[in-house]
DNA sequence: TTGTACGCGTTATCAT
DNA sequence: ATGATAACGCGTACAA
């Protein structure tokens, strides 16, 4: 019951090692029936090529890497990665590739990780997530010669292709939804200005408002964390002329913001409407349930993996069109209040 | 600037390949100064052994696997894995090991994954999480001869060691906290009976109550999801004699339960106290902030990885004592109501 | 300490 | 066209 090798198969099929290799790699040079005979023999013996040996001989790792640089605290509640990874895996496994994951606390460590992965030849390519404006990683990876795919909004990145769901339609849908409900003072709690997906969502919010002819509401920079989302919300509610609706750049901040509003006795959605982004499981189960933007993260992962494998194999990019995100309307968004209180924290009942 | 090999180092140091290998593996058979000279030369050339070649030659993968079998939906909001993985990585990287991750939708697929990982020799060992009572995986892995560490409550598992933070002290602390606040009817929203950590938390709750001399409150089986947590909460609140406090088996269910209470106009903690488990980021930012049990998940990951590497190397287990979980008290738990309403949904103001 | 076989496929070179 | 042969990738380990 010991492990079989290519030699066992070759012997059993009465051919040479080389022939078995040709058969398994769909390479010309074999008559159809010997090819079939070889494959059948391999099937019987339960043999498949060893990735270890293959890796050494083809000078490839047959694995790709995902390095996530965040303090675990920030990462903890992030719903993105599990789905993304599931999608990635579904594509990789079909090509005999594996996913190697690392979670490191900060950016410097991430650079070290890439260097090591590349130097040791552990991976043939990597995904880069949470791209910053002027991010140094693409250049580093180019220097290392390590193929990469940017996971996030497509941008004119000189080094590597980007695969991402476009944020804009989802944010636009949220804004239009709120405008349709009569809101005219729509704020945004944004992701960090330095992060590409923070910036793109902010721009989408701004653009959508301009398109409807409304002025931009106030916009507070935040960092995608619950803590900062809560602080931003307090800041907005403290304004002399607070917004009647807030578009958050993710669910985590939206849920924290919701708690802030509730704790001040501000009725949601009676006095304040709220939308999130990402449609987390919990969003549907807070009070009131959160209106949010939902995108196909699994499909996204699959597409990113496909692109990365193409890049590694130097194949041309196949077109993948990811479905645009959709707005899931729940009870956290409702008609704009008829009378706008001058100061919501003094809370007179609405309608 | 092409990649160096062990031969380059050997030549540069004026020794044989074998000597370089001995030097890098701290093996006897080399004079101290040649050893040092070899290491210095390697440092100069920036050479480290190639995991690929090593893997083939030592007949090891130099990687361990983590297969997570859950529908992405369920996994999405799970805060456990990122921290756990960070801890795992910190240990693995020191030993030249890498972590290979897979996310599969259901249990059958997980079995397939293990079979494949083992058959292809992709990993030298795996972590098994979310253990079920009578789980078939340990036996499968034993049959495959693939070393495994159970991540979860220590239990008398015949095949593999378990590494886990003991749930009991944390749950007990929550129960005692509530008892100290005057609660006498303390319910539990449990994880699935078939899951080991569901069961262990339930038993901890039961034991803690008995120790204080209080009768068990009602206990509803749930499944760790927000959806089911909400349903369980509704069920509890519909009882003729509803509990004044609910101990949830995780934060996700607790937050969903909180929303249910709030939506019924039940004041938390005035009329109902709530505790969670896991201390997620969001728990501190819901309204009211959630009392929860916090454990050192990163340390847990580190310990599990260490044990797995020991198992792979057939070394004896070193003792690791993980710090017991601690109770983080926030505003969702408070004094038991003085007058217990006969039916909380008819909600007369409290105190 | 050194020489060399070995692990296990892949691929370039040859032979029919 | 088909298929065999042998070198190769890069460390490790055992005999000398």
């Amino acid at each position: 019951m010991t492990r079989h090798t290519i030699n066992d198969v070759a012997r059993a099929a009465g051919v040479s090692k080389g022939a078995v290799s040709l058969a398994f790699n769909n390479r010309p040079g074999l008559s159809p029936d010997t090819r079939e005979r070889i494959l059948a023999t391999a099937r019987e013996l339960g043999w498949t090529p060893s990735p270890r040996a293959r890796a050494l001989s083809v000078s490839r790792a047959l694995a790709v890497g995902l390095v996530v640089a965040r303090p675990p605290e920030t990462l903890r509640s992030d719903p993105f990665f599990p789905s993304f990874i599931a999608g990635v895996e579904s594509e990789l496994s079909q090509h005999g590739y594996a996913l190697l994951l690392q979670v490191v606390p900060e950016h410097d460590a991430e650079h070290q990780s890439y260097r090591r992965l590349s130097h040791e030849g552990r991976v043939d390519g990597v995904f880069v997530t949470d791209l910053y404006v002027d991010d140094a990683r693409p250049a580093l990876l180019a220097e290392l010669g390590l193929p990469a795919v940017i996971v996030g909004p497509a941008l004119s990145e000189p080094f590597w292709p980007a695969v991402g769901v476009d944020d804009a339609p989802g944010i636009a849908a949220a804004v239009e939804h709120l405008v349709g409900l009569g809101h005219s003072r729509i704020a945004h709690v944004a992701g960090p200005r330095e992060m590409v997906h923070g910036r793109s969502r902010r721009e989408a919010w701004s653009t959508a408002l301009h398109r409807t002819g409304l002025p931009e509401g106030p916009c507070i920079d935040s960092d995608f964390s619950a803590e900062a989302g809560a602080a931003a919300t307090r800041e907005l509610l403290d304004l002399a002329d607070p917004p009647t609706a807030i578009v958050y750049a993710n669910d985590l901040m939206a849920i924290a913001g919701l708690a802030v509003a509730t704790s001040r006795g501000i009725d949601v959605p009676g006095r304040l409407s709220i939308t999130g982004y990402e449609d987390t499981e919990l969003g549907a189960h807070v009070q009131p349930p959160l209106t949010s933007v939902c995108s196909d993260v699994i499909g996204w992962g699959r597409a990113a993996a496909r692109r990365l494998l193409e890049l590694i194999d130097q194949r041309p990019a196949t077109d993948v069109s990811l479905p645009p995100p959709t707005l899931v309307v729940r009870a956290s968004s409702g008609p704009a209040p008829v009378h706008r209180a001058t100061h919501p924290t003094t809370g007179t009942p609405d309608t």
Side-chain angles (χ1 to χ4, degrees), chain A:
Chain A
M1 210 338 201
T2 171
R3 185 102 296 109
H4 285 146
T5 78
I6 196 172
N7 277 314
D8 301 330
V9 179
R11 200 172 313 125
V15 295
S16 70
K17 279 171 42 166
V20 177
S21 180
L22 294 183
F24 261 79
N25 295 338
N26 288 320
R27 277 186 153 60
L30 289 179
S31 75
D33 48 336
T34 38
R35 182 182 303 272
E36 186 42 52
R37 182 160 43 90
I38 291 172
L39 294 177
T41 315
R43 218 163 12 232
E44 275 171 37
L45 269 57
W47 178 86
T48 52
S50 147
R52 286 216 276 273
R54 254 172 69 77
L56 186 60
S57 97
V58 299
S59 300
R60 290 237 183 121
L62 303 178
V64 297
L66 174 56
V67 181
V68 183
R70 310 197 191 176
E73 280 314 307
T74 313
L75 187 66
R76 283 175 71 160
S77 311
D78 195 309
F80 174 80
F81 283 98
S83 297
F84 182 77
I85 290 172
V88 164
E89 257 301 326
S90 74
E91 185 72 21
L92 292 183
S93 62
Q94 297 181 6
H95 296 263
Y97 263 73
L99 177 69
L100 213 136
L101 181 69
Q102 280 181 260
V103 177
V104 297
E106 16 82 27
H107 249 63
D108 287 351
E110 186 174 358
H111 284 227
Q112 287 312 314
S113 277
Y114 285 131
R115 288 211 132 85
R116 224 167 72 111
L117 289 176
S118 164
H119 179 246
E120 297 187 341
R122 278 278 192 182
V123 298
D124 299 323
V126 294
F127 300 102
V128 176
T129 65
D130 299 327
L131 201 69
Y132 280 73
V133 178
D134 298 322
D135 200 302
R137 291 171 295 167
L140 169 68
L141 293 166
E143 178 198 326
L144 294 173
L146 190 59
V149 161
I150 313 284
V151 177
L155 70 170
S156 58
E157 218 285 321
F159 299 109
W160 306 111
V163 175
V165 174
D166 185 9
D167 291 346
I171 294 285
V175 170
E176 285 156 18
H177 165 66
L178 292 168
V179 172
L181 288 168
H183 292 271
S184 57
R185 190 158 165 72
I186 300 172
H188 182 50
V189 172
R193 239 174 235 283
E194 319 85 65
M195 298 192 75
V196 169
H197 60 309
R199 202 183 48 176
S200 76
R201 287 173 199 177
R202 171 207 298 267
E203 282 171 5
W205 162 78
S206 165
T207 306
L209 279 178
H210 284 155
R211 204 167 34 228
T212 65
L214 286 175
E216 272 187 28
C219 176
I220 311 276
D221 286 341
S222 183
D223 68 359
F224 288 130
S225 76
E227 176 81 43
T233 305
R234 279 189 286 269
E235 201 173 325
L236 285 173
L237 297 179
D238 284 341
L239 291 175
D241 186 16
T244 62
I246 306 178
V247 173
Y248 289 82
N250 73 354
D251 270 20
L252 193 55
M253 297 193 293
I255 294 175
L258 179 58
V260 167
T262 304
S263 71
R264 293 193 176 197
I266 297 175
D267 182 55
V268 176
R271 284 262 301 290
L272 177 69
S273 283
I274 280 178
T275 68
Y277 197 102
E278 247 178 312
D279 193 29
T280 58
E281 180 190 359
L282 203 45
H285 295 280
V286 292
Q287 183 56 30
L290 188 65
T291 294
S292 190
V293 176
C294 173
S295 49
D296 176 15
V297 179
I298 295 183
W300 187 354
R302 202 179 299 125
R306 188 170 315 158
R307 189 72 196 85
L308 184 53
L309 292 181
E310 287 163 356
L311 205 61
I312 291 170
D313 291 342
Q314 317 215 37
R315 289 182 316 217
T318 60
D319 246 353
V320 286
S321 59
L322 295 168
T326 58
L327 185 70
V328 181
V329 177
R330 298 203 185 86
S332 72
S333 54
V338 180
H339 306 295
R340 186 188 303 154
T342 53
H343 198 273
T345 57
T346 59
T348 57
D350 45 277
T351 55

